Amino acid sequence: MTREHIDYIISLCPSLFGTKESFSIGCNDGWVGLLTNTIQKISQKLSEYPECVRNTFLISSIETVDGRLTIHSSEYIKEIEDIILDAETESETICEICGNVGSMREHFLSYVACEEHTEVSNVIEEQETTSL
């Protein structure tokens, strides 16, 4: 994911992401829209909890695992986990490269791509893990 997109995602709710040492993103730019919606939903839901809960909940990483978006957090809160699970499921229908409608592809790895980005090399070249 590009630095610009990472900075944008973090700017939506900086308190969700902790420090540079405790957070990383390892997915492609095509999921920026999905991540934007997800972070906004998480932030909204957390605002309904007491400050002691809000202060301990962090997203530790966002990555691609077996072709799906995977979001790891520091605390289990059922309503937040439901939001995360919905996003992870939705990621299976969104091209990792461009954000258009896609489907799961299987070559020597699993990934989600539209018809234009079916080549696995597109996914590998675009994806890099970035720590803050």
Side-chain angles (χ1 to χ4, degrees):
M1 183 169 284
T2 65
R3 171 56 55 192
E4 179 182 347
H5 285 144
I6 293 169
D7 291 344
Y8 172 72
I9 295 297
I10 292 169
S11 74
L12 296 170
C13 188
S15 62
L16 284 179
F17 299 102
T19 65
K20 291 180 179 182
E21 295 79 30
S22 65
F23 175 72
S24 65
I25 292 183
C27 64
N28 288 313
D29 291 329
W31 286 339
V32 168
L34 176 59
L35 284 170
T36 297
N37 293 335
T38 302
I39 297 306
Q40 289 171 336
K41 288 177 185 176
I42 291 171
S43 178
Q44 176 62 39
K45 184 52 70 180
L46 276 175
S47 72
E48 299 171 10
Y49 284 84
E51 186 175 351
C52 62
V53 174
R54 291 193 311 267
N55 290 342
T56 59
F57 184 89
L58 293 173
I59 293 175
S60 56
S61 68
I62 299 171
E63 59 186 334
T64 304
V65 176
D66 295 329
R68 284 180 64 147
L69 177 68
T70 304
I71 300 173
H72 300 279
S73 62
S74 61
E75 303 286 330
Y76 177 84
I77 301 171
K78 173 143 180 32
E79 293 173 308
I80 303 294
E81 289 300 316
D82 289 345
I83 293 168
I84 291 171
L85 182 59
D86 287 347
E88 292 174 347
T89 301
E90 188 177 352
S91 73
E92 295 178 14
T93 65
I94 300 171
C95 178
E96 298 177 46
I97 304 300
C98 68
N100 288 331
V101 173
S103 59
M104 190 65 73
R105 313 288 177 157
E106 301 280 340
H107 290 287
F108 61 89
L109 60 90
S110 299
Y111 62 99
V112 181
C114 64
E115 290 302 316
E116 182 180 345
H117 296 112
T118 57
E119 292 295 318
V120 71
S121 61
N122 290 328
V123 176
I124 293 171
E125 289 170 10
E126 291 289 328
Q127 187 172 358
E128 69 178 63
T129 299
T130 306
S131 295
L132 295 181

